[in-house]
Amino acid sequence: MQEPALHKKGGKRMVPPTVNPVSMAVIEPLLREQYRLFCESRRIGDEAAAWQALEWEHILSQPYMGAHLASHWHMFRYAIELGDAREATGQAMRFLLVPLGSLTGRLPAGNNGRARVSAFEPMPMPQALEALIETARSTESRAARTD
């Protein structure tokens, strides 16, 4: 089955509000792994790696409102922990935007979810994350064929 393409809105790549380009069966283990990487990076004090894991969690979660809200909650809590008022404020604003964005389709593809970038700006998908998604899709596809 061919995956639906991301649609364009105002010339920007957007994640469709009701179409899930990657199934939750593929995304869920990737989300858990990104959160595990975040926890490990935070534990050893690697702030850059912790934020990258949270950003990737956000990108993966966008088509799923509950997971998307959870990704912003994780970012909000981490910003509070770091004493980053600007990031925490930005994440609080995004809590309000997620349901609206999910219902209207205003979810910019690849956006990393951080307060330092526009909540409406599509961004390129990190190549390493794209490779993880493709590997997970292939694994799910092979498993489905053997059932």
Side-chain angles (χ1 to χ4, degrees):
M1 182 172 135
Q2 186 175 359
E3 301 290 344
L6 299 176
H7 71 280
K8 290 190 174 208
K9 192 169 196 169
K12 296 181 178 185
R13 289 171 20 115
M14 306 303 258
V15 176
T18 57
V19 177
N20 297 321
V22 181
S23 74
M24 187 51 114
V26 170
I27 293 298
E28 196 167 35
L30 297 175
L31 287 172
R32 281 194 306 270
E33 178 62 9
Q34 290 309 307
Y35 189 71
R36 187 196 67 73
L37 289 170
F38 159 69
C39 291
E40 178 63 18
S41 299
R42 185 178 91 207
R43 186 186 66 75
I44 64 172
D46 188 343
E47 190 176 320
W51 276 117
Q52 178 183 299
L54 290 175
E55 290 169 4
W56 286 19
E57 178 190 21
H58 176 265
I59 293 166
L60 291 164
S61 72
Q62 274 186 308
Y64 303 96
M65 191 182 328
H68 191 181
L69 284 166
S71 75
H72 285 294
W73 175 249
H74 298 152
M75 288 182 176
F76 176 76
R77 284 186 14 219
Y78 191 48
I80 294 291
E81 181 180 315
L82 295 174
D84 186 340
R86 179 175 178 233
E87 187 71 41
T89 301
Q91 294 308 317
M93 292 302 298
R94 281 160 174 77
F95 288 133
L96 301 173
L97 294 174
V98 167
L100 184 60
S102 292
L103 294 172
T104 65
R106 301 272 311 163
L107 296 170
N111 186 287
N112 69 16
R114 296 288 302 277
R116 61 182 161 74
V117 301
S118 168
F120 306 103
E121 189 64 35
M123 299 172 77
M125 172 77 79
Q127 288 182 343
L129 179 56
E130 197 163 358
L132 286 175
I133 293 168
E134 288 310 311
T135 299
R137 276 183 173 155
S138 296
T139 302
E140 181 194 39
S141 179
R142 279 193 303 277
R145 285 194 300 261
T146 61
D147 286 346

